[in-house]
Amino acid sequence: MATPSSTVTPPLKDELDIVIPTIRNLDFLEMWRPFFQQYHLIIVQDGDPSKVIKVPEGFDYELYNRNDINRILGPKASCISFKDSACRCFGYMVSKKKYIYTIDDDCFVAKDPTGKDINALQQHINNLLSPSTPFFFNTLYDPYREGADFVRGYPFSLREGVPTAVSHGLWLNIPDYDAPTQLVKPLERNSRYVDAVMTIPKGTLFPMCGMNLAFDRDLIGPAMYFGLMGDGQPIGRYDDMWAGWCIKVICDHLGLGVKTGLPYIWHSKASNPFVNLKKEYKGIYWQEELIPFFQQVTLPKECTTVQKCYLELSKQVKAKLGKVDEYFLKLSDAMVTWIEAWDELNASGVVVAPKANGPAK
């Protein structure tokens, strides 16, 4: 693996945090060292808070466990999931940076078709720093990439694009399948490397996966809530899906863009499909009503900030999805709690102290 020179300052070094949820030692960071070491990490430890998580030497990090979350948020900690990777969104809340990249600890460095290691973070940054085109689809995909442009017939009035709020990356090897698909295709692996980035059109929802995801925290951060999942909840593995539906509706309303495609990571292991089915089965039924809800939801013009949009969305969740299951009444309350906690922690002058820190570079 080629190692970038330590004297070269990577892009957005002081403007981006890498958020990692985990229950295990972070040995996987060794392969990411050439690309991650100069950035600040926020590690959200799930599960037993007494367990010591080992982080390879040389990384600049802060680590939060459940005790820290309870200490920092107090009663509002109820909105942060336990025993589920949805806990990662606490890292979004305590970050003070403009950009977030989040990655799972079973995601390794992938190689492009030439055999070169893919710097996933660099590609996400490229995606976020170039505009999106949600109002008119460009058949050459991202027109701002080198070697591409707007095709004939693309309106000149739309060529400036809009700010990009979210960059959604993909995976080689183990695809992000639901449990039924895992069960019928247990040996399927994704080997298709598609060299493309595209803007998801306005009005189109998508299944957002949180394992290789970057976003502009200033533009969309308060809506990146991964819901109530895991311990004590009737559903799991829909945390990123829920966040994706919410952010897409809000991005569409506020005129922001969401990109998907490059970069790829190597997803190293498949989770147990039988365990997954137990977590997902209610969501598989519920989503047939959730999707139409999000397709039809409208936000009033008075909703001019992400927070206002999200609070309005929480009201509509309670009014319309509360009829699907009482879980959504609880979730809508948690959405409000999340915004309250976000605003409190992000008020001017608030400093959050983690349990553990790693050495700064």
Side-chain angles (χ1 to χ4, degrees):
M1 179 182 293
T3 303
S5 171
S6 59
T7 61
V8 176
T9 302
L12 304 182
K13 175 183 180 294
D14 298 318
E15 300 178 69
L16 183 145
D17 279 333
I18 300 173
V19 175
I20 306 169
T22 194
I23 58 171
R24 58 181 62 86
N25 294 336
L26 294 179
D27 300 330
F28 92 114
L29 284 173
E30 284 295 352
M31 71 171 58
W32 287 104
R33 187 182 292 276
F35 307 123
F36 288 1
Q37 186 165 0
Q38 295 192 60
Y39 291 91
H40 180 68
L41 312 181
I42 297 178
I43 300 163
V44 184
Q45 178 181 343
D46 198 16
D48 183 1
S50 67
K51 180 179 178 180
V52 176
I53 298 292
K54 294 181 181 178
V55 181
E57 291 186 7
F59 285 93
D60 171 26
Y61 71 91
E62 52 194 286
L63 186 150
Y64 299 89
N65 62 29
R66 191 69 202 187
N67 292 340
D68 300 311
I69 294 172
N70 291 338
R71 170 177 55 83
I72 292 164
L73 295 185
K76 292 184 174 66
S78 61
C79 72
I80 304 297
S81 298
F82 183 55
K83 294 186 178 178
D84 192 281
S85 64
C87 68
R88 79 176 77 221
C89 61
F90 177 77
Y92 310 160
M93 183 186 285
V94 297
S95 171
K96 301 298 182 184
K97 305 291 179 60
K98 177 173 170 56
Y99 299 99
I100 296 288
Y101 174 50
T102 185
I103 185 171
D104 284 5
D105 59 16
D106 63 350
C107 294
F108 299 165
V109 177
K111 293 184 182 296
D112 69 17
T114 70
K116 181 182 178 183
D117 288 335
I118 297 170
N119 184 347
L121 182 52
Q122 174 69 67
Q123 179 65 51
H124 276 298
I125 290 171
N126 294 346
N127 293 346
L128 290 171
L129 294 185
S130 61
S132 291
T133 54
F135 305 121
F136 201 92
F137 189 79
N138 191 52
T139 51
L140 273 183
Y141 308 119
D142 190 342
Y144 306 104
R145 288 187 69 192
E146 185 176 350
D149 211 321
F150 293 97
V151 299
R152 182 171 55 88
Y154 201 100
F156 281 86
S157 59
L158 296 177
R159 294 191 181 194
E160 285 189 9
V162 302
T164 300
V166 179
S167 171
H168 177 257
L170 299 174
W171 348 268
L172 293 172
N173 195 38
I174 306 294
D176 186 30
Y177 284 163
D178 53 38
T181 308
Q182 280 183 292
L183 286 167
V184 298
K185 294 183 172 182
L187 301 180
E188 185 156 294
R189 300 293 180 264
N190 181 36
S191 59
R192 295 178 65 242
Y193 179 96
V194 180
D195 186 10
V197 178
M198 64 187 73
T199 298
I200 301 172
K202 181 179 180 180
T204 300
L205 297 174
F206 75 111
M208 188 175 82
C209 173
M211 75 171 93
N212 175 26
L213 178 73
F215 60 93
D216 186 321
R217 189 174 173 276
D218 289 353
L219 288 180
I220 199 63
M224 270 294 178
Y225 176 47
F226 276 41
L228 291 176
M229 303 283 152
D231 195 50
Q233 308 301 335
I235 186 175
R237 285 173 57 82
Y238 272 84
D239 50 336
D240 41 10
M241 299 294 122
W242 180 262
W245 299 328
C246 290
I247 63 99
K248 189 58 170 64
V249 165
I250 292 173
C251 282
D252 285 353
H253 175 76
L254 295 178
L256 301 171
V258 178
K259 292 182 178 180
T260 188
L262 300 180
Y264 285 91
I265 51 82
W266 181 269
H267 188 203
S268 64
K269 64 182 182 186
S271 47
N272 186 310
F274 297 100
V275 173
N276 290 347
L277 186 59
K278 186 176 180 180
K279 294 177 180 179
E280 291 174 3
Y281 78 95
K282 286 193 175 181
I284 291 170
Y285 286 107
W286 288 344
Q287 72 183 15
E288 300 306 319
E289 297 190 60
L290 301 184
I291 298 302
F293 164 77
F294 281 103
Q295 287 174 328
Q296 296 164 17
V297 73
T298 57
L299 300 172
K301 64 179 186 298
E302 292 77 23
C303 292
T304 54
T305 67
V306 176
Q307 280 92 332
K308 287 179 180 178
C309 290
Y310 204 70
L311 291 174
E312 171 62 27
L313 196 54
S314 74
K315 293 177 186 176
Q316 297 193 35
V317 167
K318 176 168 285 189
K320 297 179 181 178
L321 296 183
K323 302 170 186 176
V324 175
D325 191 273
E326 63 180 13
Y327 164 76
F328 293 100
L329 301 175
K330 187 177 178 181
L331 177 56
S332 66
D333 289 339
M335 293 168 72
V336 175
T337 302
W338 161 264
I339 292 295
E340 291 172 351
W342 181 284
D343 287 346
E344 286 178 15
L345 278 192
N346 289 278
S348 178
V350 174
V351 177
V352 176
K355 176 186 177 184
N357 283 286
K361 286 276 294 173

